[in-house]
């Protein structure tokens, strides 16, 4: 138990379909981050929330991607019209503001687009 | 963000100390050094972090050189379960304080 629950753990979808992932922190944290990790690479930042507000988006987050955190607790990441290049592990992390605090990552959702 | 350089892979014998180096020669005065590890098919796991002083916790020790241009993560008695990719990250005081991961070091602990 990492303190962050991500569902589903695995998702296989056909190209062109929409998918949605969910991140549920077990405890309250004001910051929530989404990362993407492709095979053999380190995680790459996608976006983050301060409470309900989405404050920064990476250039990796195309207009097919949308993320929400409606009540400042759980978050969803939706990918519309999936492409094979979207195949990756999608990781959620929670933390507090400031440099002197680490993040806690979930186990991720592995997406395979066929 | 300051860039880090790590060897792509290392081996260590079970029960011995694993010393993982990291160069971060462009680090700024207010940037922290963080270490995470990632075991296959899991999310990254926080290990330790520091600013200037050496740090120790139940998992590892972090030795930061006086000029802060490099650091070493020490796992004092490596076990097979320590086999993982270890990421050294310099964390900047940007707006989101996000972590920027590099390629990491793949540590293989062998019996």
């Amino acid at each position: 138990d990492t303190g962050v629950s991500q569902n589903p753990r695995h998702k296989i979808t056909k190209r062109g379909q929409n998918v949605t992932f969910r991140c549920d922190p077990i405890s309250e944290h004001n910051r929530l981050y989404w990362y993407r990790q492709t095979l053999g690479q380190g995680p790459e930042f996608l976006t983050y929330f301060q409470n309900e507000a989405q404050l920064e988006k990476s250039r990796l987050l195309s207009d097919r991607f949308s993320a929400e955190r409606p009540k400042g607790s759980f978050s969803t990441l939706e990918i519309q019209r999936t492409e094979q290049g979207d195949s990756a592990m999608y990781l959620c992390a929670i933390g507090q503001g400031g440099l002197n605090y680490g993040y806690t990552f979930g186990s991720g959702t592995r997406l395979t687009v066929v | 963000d300051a860039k880090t350089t790590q060897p792509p892979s290392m081996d260590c014998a079970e029960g011995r100390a694993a010393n993982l180096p990291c160069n971060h020669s462009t680090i700024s005065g207010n940037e922290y050094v963080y270490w995470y590890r990632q075991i296959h098919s899991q999310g990254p796991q926080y290990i330790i972090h520091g600013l200037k002083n050496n740090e120790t916790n139940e998992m590892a020790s972090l030795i930061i050189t006086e000029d802060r241009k490099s650091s070493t993560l020490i796992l004092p008695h490596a076990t097979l379960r320590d086999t993982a990719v270890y990421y050294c990250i310099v964390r900047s005081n940007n707006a989101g304080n996000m972590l920027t991961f590099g390629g990491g070091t793949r540590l293989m602990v062998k019996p």
Side-chain angles (χ1 to χ4, degrees):
Chain A
D1 180 9
T2 67
V4 181
S5 176
Q6 290 193 247
N7 290 290
R9 288 297 313 276
H10 303 274
K11 177 73 176 178
I12 299 174
T13 191
K14 291 184 178 179
R15 189 173 49 187
Q17 298 293 305
N18 300 342
V19 294
T20 299
F21 313 136
R22 181 174 169 122
C23 172
D24 282 277
I26 292 176
S27 58
E28 288 190 9
H29 286 77
N30 57 8
R31 292 208 174 170
L32 186 147
Y33 301 81
W34 283 99
Y35 280 75
R36 182 180 76 177
Q37 186 173 25
T38 53
L39 206 59
Q41 304 296 316
E44 298 171 289
F45 168 77
L46 290 179
T47 188
Y48 89 97
F49 291 83
Q50 174 86 19
N51 301 314
E52 305 90 355
Q54 187 175 13
L55 294 186
E56 189 160 340
K57 300 179 188 180
S58 159
R59 58 177 176 76
L60 296 174
L61 210 68
S62 76
D63 56 7
R64 296 184 297 106
F65 288 67
S66 62
E68 293 183 343
R69 195 183 185 200
K71 297 183 180 179
S73 57
F74 74 92
S75 177
T76 58
L77 178 68
E78 180 184 14
I79 309 175
Q80 296 183 327
R81 305 181 304 281
T82 52
E83 302 173 355
Q84 286 188 321
D86 297 331
S87 295
M89 173 81 85
Y90 290 85
L91 294 157
C92 173
I94 56 174
Q96 301 175 336
L99 289 177
N100 202 19
Y101 301 94
Y103 300 0
T104 300
F105 280 85
S107 296
T109 294
R110 180 166 295 285
L111 173 68
T112 303
V113 181
V114 298
Chain B
D1 291 352
K3 184 176 174 58
T4 62
T5 304
Q6 298 178 255
S9 64
M10 291 181 64
D11 290 343
C12 178
E14 188 179 19
R16 302 297 294 270
N19 296 282
L20 291 90
C22 179
N23 284 321
H24 32 78
S25 58
T26 60
I27 193 169
S28 299
N30 62 349
E31 292 177 324
Y32 282 75
V33 179
Y34 274 76
W35 284 83
Y36 278 75
R37 74 179 183 183
Q38 190 170 25
I39 296 169
H40 183 62
S41 295
Q42 296 182 21
Q45 177 191 22
Y46 167 81
I47 301 173
I48 200 166
H49 74 279
L51 181 62
K52 296 180 182 178
N53 299 323
N54 298 337
E55 302 287 346
T56 295
N57 63 21
E58 64 279 5
M59 289 182 69
S61 295
L62 173 61
I63 308 298
I64 302 175
T65 58
E66 194 169 340
D67 63 7
R68 303 209 323 125
K69 292 185 176 181
S70 65
S71 61
T72 301
L73 179 75
I74 301 172
L75 308 178
H77 305 287
T79 72
L80 298 179
R81 287 179 294 180
D82 292 322
T83 292
V85 178
Y86 287 77
Y87 295 99
C88 170
I89 302 163
V90 171
R91 193 173 183 192
S92 300
N93 193 22
N94 51 40
N97 302 142
M98 65 279 293
L99 296 167
T100 302
F101 289 81
T105 295
R106 184 172 298 276
L107 176 69
M108 179 74 71
V109 180
K110 297 184 174 180

